[in-house]
Amino acid sequence: MNGMDPQTLTELLDVSVLDRLDRIEDLPADELARSSALRKEGYSAEVTAGLLTQAQLRRDAVKKLGPFAEDMLFTRDGLAQATRLPVAAHHARRLLGEGKDTGGDEGTEGSADAADSTPTIADLGCGIGADSFAFAGMGAQVTAVDADEVTAAIASFNLRHLANASVEHARAEDIDTSAFDALWFDPARRTVGKGTKSGSTARIFDPEDFSPSLSWVIDKALAAKAAGVKLGPALDHSLVPDEAEAQWVSHLSEVVEVCLYFGEARQRPGRSALVMGERTLLVHEDDLPADDEDGVGELGQYLLEPDGAIVRAGLVTALCGPLQARRVHPKIAYLTTDVEPTGPASAGVTIYEVTDVLPAKIPSLRKALISRGIGSVVIKKRGADIVPDQVRRQLKLPAGDKATLVFTRLGDRHVVLLTQPC
Ligand SMILES: C[S@@+](CC[C@H](N)C(=O)[O-])C[C@H]1O[C@@H](n2cnc3c(N)ncnc32)[C@H](O)[C@@H]1O
C-alpha cells in the first residue's frame, strides 16, 4: 500500500502518458486549469490525477535527488523515505570500500576480470530506488528488492538507465543473500496507511515491527562480507550491536539517519557523527576527552550549538578540544568559547555571539528586550521547559531589531541568552 494502485501505475507507464508528464510544465501552473486542460486532451480522471501528483512529487523530489528527479516516478511514501542523493553516495562509498577500484568503466569492458571484480550489492527494501541509484551509479552490480508491487515497479522505472541494476518484486526474507559482496538494508519504519483514505502513516517504535524486523536484518548483516543498515536517528544506543560502527549523519543541518556498518563496510568500531553540508566533518568516539571531566565552564562571548548528528551520537564533548570550548552545563548540549571558532571543527557547530544574559521570567524579559529595541525573535531552547511559539505570543514585542533568544541554564539559573548568529 503506498497511495497508488497498480492499474494507475500501468496507465502512467504508457509512453505517451510519460511524454505528457515530461512536458507538463507547458500547461498553466494553476492546478485546476492544468487538470481541465489534461481532461480536454482526453486523459481519464484517474490518469489526470496521477499526472498532477507525479508532477508535484517530481518538484518535491528535487531537494533530495537533484535534477534526476525530473526523470523519475514516485509514491508519496516512497519519496518521504528515500535517501538524499549525496547521502546515498556516501552509503555507496562505504559499501564499495572508500578509494577501492569498483571495476567500473576503465576500458576493460567485456573482459572476465572486469566482470569478476564488479562488486555485487543487494538492496533489500529498495523503495523508489534512491540508494540503488547511487550504488549502481558508482559501479556496483545491484539487485534491488521491494516487497511492494507498485514500489518495485517504480524502482525499476527509476533505475532503467543503469544497465547494472535490476529490480525484483519480492520479500527480502525470501532472497538468497549468500552470493552478494554487500547487503544494504533500509527497513520500513512507518505503518502503511491502514485503510485511511489519505494513506497516512505513523512511526513504528518497536524495532521488531520494522519490516524486515531489526533482529532479522542484524543477523543477515553480521553474516555478510559487508553490510549497511539505515535506521532513524532516534535509535536507542543500546540497540547498536558491538560488532557495528554506528554513524549518525546530518545533511544541510538536518539529522537524517543513523547507519550501522558491518564487516568490510565498518571502518572504525564505535560511534561517529558525519556532518555533511557546505563543509564536512567527521567526529568519532575516540575523539572524546580521556578524562571524566564534564568540561563545564563560564559562559564566554560565543555560544556554540552542536550539529544534531553530533548530539544524537553523544559526542558533544569531543568538540571541546578542537574548538577550545567548554560546556555551559553538564547536561545541556551547548558549548561556549571566548574566541569565535574558525577551524575545521567549526563545521560541527552553529555559532552565536552572546550580547547579554537576560532573566527568563516573561515580564522582565519583555522589558529588557523592548529597552534594547528588539522586536523580532528566533527562539531556541535546551534545558528549558518552554514552548517557543507560546513565549513569542506572550512577549508581544513591538516592531524592532532581530535577535536570537536562547532559553537555557547556567548552573542552577534559568536564563535567556540574547545572541546574534555569526
Ligand atoms: C525505507 S524504504 C527504502 C527507501 C530506499 N532506501 C530509498 O532510498 O529509496 C523501505 C522499503 O522497504 C519495503 N519493504 C518493507 N518490508 C519489506 C520486506 N520484508 N522485504 C522487502 N521490502 C520490504 C517497503 O515497501 C519500502 O519500500
Side-chain angles (χ1 to χ4, degrees):
M1 279 287 286
N2 49 58
M4 195 195 298
D5 62 85
Q7 178 58 31
T8 307
L9 178 65
T10 307
E11 287 177 305
L12 276 179
L13 287 172
D14 180 275
V15 179
S16 68
V17 178
L18 285 171
D19 177 58
R20 194 68 194 91
L21 178 60
D22 290 341
R23 293 181 296 103
I24 205 157
E25 299 304 329
D26 304 347
L27 293 173
D30 175 73
E31 198 86 336
L32 266 180
R34 197 169 262 195
S35 169
S36 54
L38 288 168
R39 292 304 306 265
K40 269 191 201 133
E41 288 178 25
Y43 294 104
S44 68
E46 290 72 23
V47 172
T48 297
L51 282 168
L52 294 177
T53 304
Q54 288 303 320
Q56 181 61 51
L57 292 174
R58 279 184 172 184
R59 284 193 294 278
D60 296 347
V62 169
K63 198 176 155 215
K64 280 192 168 180
L65 300 162
F68 297 109
E70 289 160 24
D71 195 34
M72 296 171 88
L73 293 177
F74 302 97
T75 59
R76 211 170 284 285
D77 290 353
L79 176 57
Q81 296 174 39
T83 303
R84 300 172 186 208
L85 210 49
V87 181
H90 171 69
H91 298 156
R93 282 192 290 274
R94 292 298 305 260
L95 288 194
L96 294 169
E98 226 131 348
K100 196 165 120 185
D101 179 9
T102 60
D105 54 358
E106 302 288 344
T108 49
E109 208 180 326
S111 87
D113 280 357
D116 287 350
S117 65
T118 301
T120 55
I121 299 181
D123 181 356
L124 299 161
C126 66
I128 56 95
D131 279 306
S132 281
F133 195 80
F135 300 154
M138 291 174 71
Q141 183 68 44
V142 178
T143 301
V145 174
D146 203 284
D148 182 76
E149 183 187 1
V150 168
T151 306
I154 286 181
S156 202
F157 178 83
N158 292 340
L159 297 168
R160 68 198 181 285
H161 299 306
L162 294 157
N164 49 334
S166 63
V167 180
E168 285 182 34
H169 169 215
R171 280 163 35 93
E173 295 88 331
D174 297 332
I175 300 292
D176 175 5
T177 52
S178 58
F180 290 96
D181 294 311
L183 304 181
W184 178 251
F185 303 91
D186 182 358
R189 300 180 303 278
R190 299 194 72 83
T191 56
V192 286
K194 278 191 179 146
T196 55
K197 220 175 169 196
S198 62
S200 61
T201 63
R203 199 172 134 203
I204 297 172
F205 290 94
D206 182 350
E208 285 317 291
D209 290 337
F210 295 172
S211 186
S213 73
L214 188 58
S215 55
W216 181 86
V217 164
I218 287 179
D219 280 353
K220 283 283 173 185
L222 284 168
K225 225 164 104 185
V229 181
K230 176 183 156 185
L231 296 164
L235 184 79
D236 188 331
H237 287 206
S238 68
L239 292 173
V240 176
D242 291 343
E243 298 85 345
E245 170 186 350
Q247 183 167 78
W248 278 260
V249 179
S250 70
H251 179 247
L252 301 175
S253 302
E254 241 180 277
V255 193
V256 288
E257 63 183 33
V258 55
C259 261
L260 309 182
Y261 292 106
F262 296 81
E264 289 174 15
R266 184 185 82 159
Q267 286 175 346
R268 218 170 154 193
R271 286 171 286 135
S272 65
L274 177 68
V275 179
M276 297 176 77
E278 273 168 37
R279 292 186 295 157
T280 298
L281 178 70
L282 181 64
V283 182
H284 191 273
E285 188 177 335
D286 293 347
D287 306 328
L288 286 168
D291 51 39
D292 271 349
E293 293 281 301
D294 56 18
V296 176
E298 287 286 292
L299 177 70
Q301 195 180 346
Y302 295 91
L303 183 79
L304 316 179
E305 182 183 22
D307 180 274
I310 297 172
V311 178
R312 288 280 193 191
L315 298 176
V316 170
T317 47
L319 293 175
C320 287
L323 293 171
Q324 300 197 311
R326 49 203 183 262
R327 304 186 78 149
V328 298
H329 187 279
K331 294 213 165 88
I332 296 175
Y334 283 133
L335 300 176
T336 185
T337 56
D338 300 318
V339 178
E340 185 178 346
T342 52
S346 64
V349 290
T350 306
I351 306 170
Y352 300 89
E353 183 168 11
V354 181
T355 53
D356 236 323
V357 180
L358 304 178
K361 290 238 165 12
I362 298 292
S364 332
L365 177 62
R366 179 168 195 274
K367 226 167 154 188
L369 291 172
I370 292 175
S371 72
R372 287 163 180 77
I374 306 296
S376 151
V377 290
V378 172
I379 297 178
K380 297 192 152 278
K381 60 154 198 164
R382 269 187 191 165
D385 192 14
I386 58 141
V387 180
D389 280 343
Q390 209 174 321
V391 169
R392 198 175 292 103
R393 276 197 301 277
Q394 288 171 336
L395 283 172
K396 273 196 243 120
L397 293 172
D401 296 339
K402 263 190 171 173
T404 301
L405 300 184
V406 182
F407 284 71
T408 190
R409 275 158 61 192
L410 296 178
D412 291 339
R413 265 192 319 148
H414 282 269
V415 293
V416 176
L417 308 180
L418 179 63
T419 73
Q420 291 294 342
C422 292

